[in-house]
């Protein structure tokens, strides 16, 4: 035995062979980890959804330095249970309704395990041909499921690539658009380039633009309005372009969104692409969340106009039951990416690359090295099939419709914006707060309530709910209004969880509104709490059928 093996043997360690990749020891520990995760998923509903720990909790619990001697997997998993799990926000909990979903599945997890087990570095075709070729096939499969035009597929001289996140998709396409324009007008003109999005566009757009060298003053956030359901109006886009042209600037790039983070709003793709075409602007469509649903024929309409765009992306790790990370990006002109991002040192040269008959994905992304993401996506598609994946998504939308119906039946609440997909944006209404404050007040105080007061009540409601640990939601602010977002999409969520969530919302709203005082008095207005409560009995909730 070498020195490492000998030491382990003399210390009575479990290792009698090389401990790094011994097949039998891997098998033993692997079964233990799978069993641990299976138990975790069986019990995940019992944990507080949002972690309840305080900042710095883990440093107080773990040693100050790494162990010098090996520790058994049994001890390590015990510490995962006792120390790590309390610090997790449980994204796979059926009561997780925050942000957008990060939907896992058996196939996604096992695909990730296979990819990690092979641990190939697929920067070019030669480094692992199967990794590259499976990726091209899976991306074409997905393009077909989305009914993307042939121009986005490899057979149509386009193609798809798997990246980590939306930020990478936006960054790579901005860089491609940037270099294409600078080749024409000169690199010294980079300070003139302007990129466009709406005030609802994800913050990754702004981050990516700055990384790509776009001057911060040239990153446009075009205002949206409730009258357009917070979608980007084409006339506002054109006006912004014309103003920039008058200043001698160069319009470069539009990031249009299908399913904005705040409200799941939808930008009108076709009309926006028509405007962009007049000015030779690259159009990228960020459908990170909602693009998943567009594999369903009834939702495909929301990406109508995609055929006019230059690039399109969605995150399979959000709502496609594929573990983080997995962003799917398609481009019509892969050469634009390759020209901007390729690198060809001598040590990477090979006959396959020189033949121009293979894809080298290192030239389609920011980093050189890359993971075998296609494997887990392939397992998801094969394990569940397109029809079942569509039905999983439909069930989540149906549950959001159920929640929307429950909100609509309680006069204390209002739906703030139209529901798109499986996101419901709601709040305690100003009228309900006003009624609570003044319904029994005999003083001559103003009978109105300010926007700040309405926002404060809803913020208090959300924090109270989340602090309880039984469910988790997040918020946004649109047009000055604090809204609570209820996003259905966790793989384990069922109708009973949605109904339970609504009862929790009503419970906390009842308590908070009951504590509100009339501004003209330091004591609560005299009234019966039941006079302002419109909580539904459980049998009524169970019979609700939400509107389409």
């Amino acid at each position: 035995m070498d020195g490492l093996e000998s030491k382990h043997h003399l210390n009575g360690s479990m290792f009698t062979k090389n401990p790094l990749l011994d097949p039998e020891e891997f098998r033993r520990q692997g079964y233990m980890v799978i069993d641990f995760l299976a138990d975790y998923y069986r019990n995940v509903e019992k944990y507080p959804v949002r972690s309840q720990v305080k900042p710095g909790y883990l440093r107080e619990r773990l040693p100050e330095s790494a162990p010098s001697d090996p520790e058994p997997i049994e001890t390590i998993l015990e510490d995962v249970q006792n120390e790590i799990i309390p610090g997790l926000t449980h994204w796979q909990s059926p009561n997780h309704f925050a942000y957008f979903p990060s939907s896992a599945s058996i196939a996604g997890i096992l695909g990730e395990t296979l990819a990690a087990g092979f641990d190939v570095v697929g920067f070019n075709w030669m480094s692992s041909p199967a990794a590259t070729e499976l990726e091209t096939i899976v991306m074409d499969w997905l393009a077909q499921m989305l009914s993307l035009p042939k121009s986005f597929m490899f057979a149509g001289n386009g193609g798809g690539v798997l990246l980590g996140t939306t930020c990478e998709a936006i960054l790579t396409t901005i860089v491609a658009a940037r270099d294409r324009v600078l080749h024409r007008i000169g690199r010294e003109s980079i300070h003139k380039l302007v990129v466009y999005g709406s005030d609802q566009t994800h913050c990754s757009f702004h981050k990516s633009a700055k990384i790509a060298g776009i001057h911060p003053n040239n990153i446009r956030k075009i205002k949206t309005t409730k009258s357009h359901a917070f979608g980007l109006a084409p006339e506002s886009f054109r006006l912004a372009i014309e103003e920039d042209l008058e200043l001698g600037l160069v319009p470069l790039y539009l990031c249009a969104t299908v399913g904005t983070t705040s409200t799941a709003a939808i930008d009108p793709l076709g009309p926006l692409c028509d405007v962009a075409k007049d000015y030779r602007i690259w159009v990228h469509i960020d459908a990170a969340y909602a693009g998943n649903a567009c594999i369903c024929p009834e939702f495909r309409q929301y990406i109508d106009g995609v055929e006019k765009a230059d690039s399109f992306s969605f995150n399979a790790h959000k709502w496609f039951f594929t573990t983080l990370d997995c962003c799917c990006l398609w481009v019509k002109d892969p050469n634009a990416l390759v020209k901007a991002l390729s690198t060809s040192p001598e040590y990477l040269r090979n006959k396959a690359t020189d033949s121009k008959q293979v894809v080298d994905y290192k030239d389609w992304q920011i980093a050189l090295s890359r993971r075998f993401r296609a494997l887990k996506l392939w397992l998801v598609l094969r394990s569940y099939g397109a029809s079942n994946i569509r039905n999983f998504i439909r069930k989540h939308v149906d549950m959001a419709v159920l929640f929307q119906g429950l909100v609509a039946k309680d006069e204390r609440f209002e739906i703030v914006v139209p529901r798109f997909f499986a996101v419901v944006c709601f709040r305690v209404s100003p009228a309900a707060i006003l009624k609570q404050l003044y319904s029994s007040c005999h003083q001559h105080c103003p009978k109105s309530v300010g926007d700040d007061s309405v926002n404060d009540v809803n913020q208090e409601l959300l924090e109270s709910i989340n602090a309880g640990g039984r469910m988790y939601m997040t918020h946004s602010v649109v047009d000055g209004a604090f809204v609570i977002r209820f996003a259905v999409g966790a793989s384990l969520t069922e109708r009973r969880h949605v109904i339970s969530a609504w009862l929790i919302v009503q419970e906390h709203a009842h308590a908070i509104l009951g504590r509100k005082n009339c501004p003209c008095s330091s004591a609560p207005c005299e009234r019966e709490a039941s006079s302002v409560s419109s909580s539904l009995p459980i049998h009524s909730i169970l019979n609700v059928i939400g509107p389409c």
Side-chain angles (χ1 to χ4, degrees), residues 439-484:
S439 60
S440 301
C441 180
H442 302 297
Q443 303 295 325
H444 299 289
C445 53
K447 299 299 190 286
S448 64
V449 59
D451 292 341
D452 289 344
S453 296
V454 176
N455 288 347
D456 288 346
V457 169
N458 282 282
Q459 186 170 359
E460 182 181 354
L461 172 61
L462 178 63
E463 185 51 41
S464 173
I465 291 169
N466 288 341
R470 290 184 288 168
M471 63 179 294
Y472 184 28
M473 297 182 294
T474 47
H475 79 282
S476 190
V477 176
V478 289
D479 209 18
F482 183 99
V483 299
I484 300 172

Side-chain angles (χ1 to χ4, degrees), residues 488-509:
V488 184
S491 301
L492 295 173
T493 300
E494 301 173 359
R495 286 173 62 90
R496 64 183 177 90
H497 299 108
V498 172
I499 293 169
S500 176
W502 176 241
L503 293 174
I504 293 170
V505 171
Q506 288 189 310
E507 172 191 329
H508 284 262

Side-chain angles (χ1 to χ4, degrees), residues 329-347:
L329 168 67
W330 290 268
V331 292
K332 282 183 176 176
D333 182 14
N335 286 330
L337 292 181
V338 173
K339 288 178 181 177
L341 301 169
S342 67
T343 179
S344 300
E346 181 61 34
Y347 51 79

Side-chain angles (χ1 to χ4, degrees), residues 218-252:
N218 291 351
I219 303 173
R220 301 286 176 258
K221 297 170 59 176
I222 302 172
K223 183 173 176 54
T224 59
T225 63
K226 190 172 183 178
S227 62
H228 286 84
F230 298 105
L232 176 57
E235 54 270 23
S236 299
F237 177 39
R238 187 181 292 275
L239 179 61
I241 294 170
E242 290 293 340
E243 290 175 350
D244 286 330
L245 288 173
E246 290 180 8
L247 295 173
L249 300 176
V250 180
L252 173 70

Side-chain angles (χ1 to χ4, degrees), residues 397-411 413 415 419 424 486 498 502 506 536 540-541 543-548:
V397 175
D398 287 345
M399 285 187 272
V401 170
L402 168 64
F403 188 84
Q404 178 186 23
L406 296 172
V407 174
K409 287 183 175 292
D410 189 328
E411 64 182 12
F413 293 87
I415 303 294
R419 176 194 53 79
V424 180
F486 185 84
V498 172
W502 176 241
Q506 288 189 310
L536 297 174
S540 297
I541 293 177
N543 290 329
V544 166
I545 300 177
C548 294

Side-chain angles (χ1 to χ4, degrees), residues 340-361:
L341 301 169
S342 67
T343 179
S344 300
E346 181 61 34
Y347 51 79
L348 292 183
R349 292 198 60 185
N350 61 84
K351 291 182 179 180
T353 296
D354 291 343
S355 74
K356 308 294 184 182
Q357 295 180 1
V358 299
V359 173
D360 286 343
Y361 273 125

Side-chain angles (χ1 to χ4, degrees), residues 21-97:
L21 278 178
D22 175 65
E24 293 310 312
E25 186 58 28
F26 176 60
R27 189 189 313 278
R28 186 185 76 86
Q29 294 191 33
Y31 281 135
M32 292 183 66
V33 170
I34 293 296
D35 285 344
F36 181 91
L37 287 174
D39 288 340
Y40 168 75
Y41 281 115
R42 183 174 58 196
N43 297 315
V44 68
E45 192 171 349
K46 299 176 183 178
Y47 297 116
V49 186
R50 190 182 72 174
S51 175
Q52 306 293 299
V53 302
K54 303 296 183 183
Y57 91 100
L58 194 57
R59 187 168 291 278
E60 296 176 359
R61 298 190 183 190
L62 296 186
E64 293 184 358
S65 58
S68 60
D69 294 319
E71 297 184 49
I73 187 66
E74 292 85 352
T75 300
I76 297 169
L77 287 179
E78 184 177 349
D79 284 348
V80 171
Q81 180 67 49
N82 296 332
E83 316 297 350
I84 302 301
I85 284 183
L88 297 181
T89 290
H90 300 282
W91 285 72
Q92 303 312 315
S93 168
N95 297 308
H96 186 286
F97 302 105

